[in-house]
Amino acid sequence: MSALTEETVLQRTKCKELEHVRKLNIWGIGIKDVSVFRRMPNLEIASCSVNNISTLADFAHCPHLQELYIRKNEITDLAEISFLKNLHELSNLWLLDNPCSSHNNYRLTVLKHLPHLQKLDNVAVSKEELKLAAEKGDDLPLQSSKTESSSVVEPPLDASLGDRCIEESSFSTPNLEKDQKAASRGVKDQYRKVSSADEVEEEDTNLLNESRGHMLQNNHQNTNRQSSRIFDALILLIEELNREELIAIREAVGRRIADLT
C-alpha cells in the first residue's frame, strides 16, 4: 500500500466523514502518499511512524494537529518542518530516525522554527532550550504549503458506514484463538518493532483496548478465556523487555488507569 485512501481512514477510525476524524494510527503499514490528510481539518493526533513518508506538506492542512508521531520515515530535508510552522496547537512532535534528524544542529534548529513545541522526540522542551535554539538554531529555506499533492484516486464514501463517528482508531488484534505460546510470540514480535513511547501508547494500549472490546462481544466463558490468554502473554512479554521499554509501558499503563478513574 503506497497511498493512504479515504476508505482506509474511515475503516480504521469508524468515522463517516474525513472531517470527523480526530485520531488516526497508520503505524507501519507501508504508506508513502498521505495527501488525504489535507481533507482532515480536525485531526488532533496522528501516529504515522514506520512508513515511507517523505514530506510534511500534507500535515500543514491539519490546523488542530496536537501530536504528530512520524519516526522512521523518509523525510530527508529538515526544511520540511517549515510546513508545521503554522500549526500552533502542535505540542508534541516525534521526528527522530528520519534522515533529516542527522542534521548537525537538528534539535536546536527544529525548536527555532517550532517554538510552540512542548516535547520533541519524547524529550520535554525547556524555556532555556528555546532561548538557546533562537540563538543557535540554523536558518532554513521556507517551504510552500501549496505544493502540488500526489494524484490519488479516492474510492467513493461507503454509505453503509455508521452515522456515529467513533474518535478512536481501530487496529488489528492478535488471533485470540491461538494457544498461549503463539499469542505470546505475536505480542512479543509487535513490541520488538516498537522502540519508542508513541508506538507503545498508540499501538499497544489501543491493542489491549480493542482486544477488550472484542471479548465483550463474546459470551462470559470466552471472555474469561481470552482475557487470560492476553494476560499470560503480557506477563511472558515483560520478561523479554529492557528497562527503557518497561518504563514506557509503565507510563502508558498509568495514563490508562487515570482515564478509568
Side-chain angles (χ1 to χ4, degrees), residues 90-192:
L90 183 64
S91 61
N92 191 344
L93 173 65
W94 201 316
L95 187 62
L96 202 64
D97 297 324
N98 279 276
C100 67
S101 65
S102 62
H103 186 91
N104 289 335
N105 203 19
Y106 161 73
R107 186 173 175 85
L108 291 181
T109 299
V110 173
L111 293 179
K112 178 177 182 176
H113 293 273
L114 304 176
H116 47 279
L117 290 179
Q118 298 176 14
K119 185 179 287 188
L120 173 61
D121 298 329
N122 205 36
V123 177
V125 177
S126 66
K127 293 181 179 179
E128 293 76 14
E129 192 174 23
L130 286 176
K131 182 177 180 180
L132 182 63
E135 299 173 355
K136 304 291 186 179
D138 296 341
D139 291 325
L140 295 173
L142 296 179
Q143 302 285 338
S144 171
S145 61
K146 296 181 181 180
T147 54
E148 187 174 330
S149 63
S150 302
S151 176
V152 180
V153 178
E154 297 287 352
L157 180 62
D158 187 349
S160 67
L161 291 172
D163 291 334
R164 296 180 61 187
C165 170
I166 302 175
E167 298 171 355
E168 299 275 341
S169 297
S170 81
F171 308 100
S172 60
T173 58
N175 186 346
L176 296 177
E177 300 303 319
K178 299 291 184 180
D179 59 29
Q180 175 178 320
K181 186 176 296 184
S184 175
R185 283 199 302 269
V187 178
K188 200 175 296 182
D189 288 342
Q190 183 135 351
Y191 270 94
R192 283 171 179 161

Side-chain angles (χ1 to χ4, degrees), residues 27 50 71-72 188-195 199:
W27 184 91
V50 195
R71 297 174 60 252
K72 295 189 177 181
K188 200 175 296 182
D189 288 342
Q190 183 135 351
Y191 270 94
R192 283 171 179 161
K193 294 178 182 177
V194 177
S195 59
E199 282 83 17

Side-chain angles (χ1 to χ4, degrees), residues 222-234:
N222 287 339
T223 297
N224 290 338
R225 185 183 303 114
Q226 292 165 353
S227 178
S228 176
R229 286 177 181 146
I230 294 175
F231 179 80
D232 291 342
L234 290 175

Side-chain angles (χ1 to χ4, degrees), residues 40-43 59-65 86-90:
M40 290 186 272
N42 295 309
L43 186 68
F59 298 99
H61 299 264
C62 305
H64 298 294
L65 191 62
N86 294 324
L87 302 183
H88 301 297
E89 296 181 33
L90 183 64

